[in-house]
Amino acid sequence: MLLHLYPTLYNRCLTYPHRNRVSWEDMVDSYGQLCGHEKNNLRDSTILLTDCGDSLGYYLEHFFAHFPEELQIESIIAL
């Protein structure tokens, strides 16, 4: 688990107790596995997600929605 490497994200998890902790930890782990090049590719981008009704689309929608500042995403369009 990478929560100890990202204390700000961990504190955000504690601030919102209604959040599913396991799901949040998975998202933080996924964020931690992005390399600098991948993060740079997302900078100032607009993310278009389609089919957000399935499990992977739902997860990606929430991942990008929870990390817009860290990834410097301009906007997210989820269909």
Side-chain angles (χ1 to χ4, degrees):
M1 240 172 270
L2 298 172
L3 283 176
H4 67 282
L5 298 177
Y6 302 100
T8 304
L9 298 179
Y10 181 73
N11 290 336
R12 191 185 313 165
C13 177
L14 297 177
T15 304
Y16 301 103
H18 63 279
R19 236 180 228 157
N20 180 330
R21 186 179 182 96
V22 173
S23 176
W24 180 247
E25 289 174 355
D26 286 346
M27 284 193 265
V28 172
D29 284 343
S30 295
Y31 173 79
Q33 297 204 17
L34 291 174
C35 68
H37 175 70
E38 293 167 327
K39 292 176 186 175
N40 286 336
N41 285 341
L42 292 170
R43 182 176 295 147
D44 298 326
S45 65
T46 296
I47 307 291
L48 173 63
L49 295 171
T50 60
D51 198 20
C52 290
D54 68 358
S55 59
L56 181 59
Y58 181 81
Y59 179 86
L60 288 172
E61 177 185 5
H62 282 273
F63 177 78
F64 289 123
H66 284 95
F67 297 102
E69 296 89 21
E70 291 83 5
L71 296 172
Q72 299 177 5
I73 294 173
E74 185 69 30
S75 63
I76 303 164
I77 302 170
L79 306 172

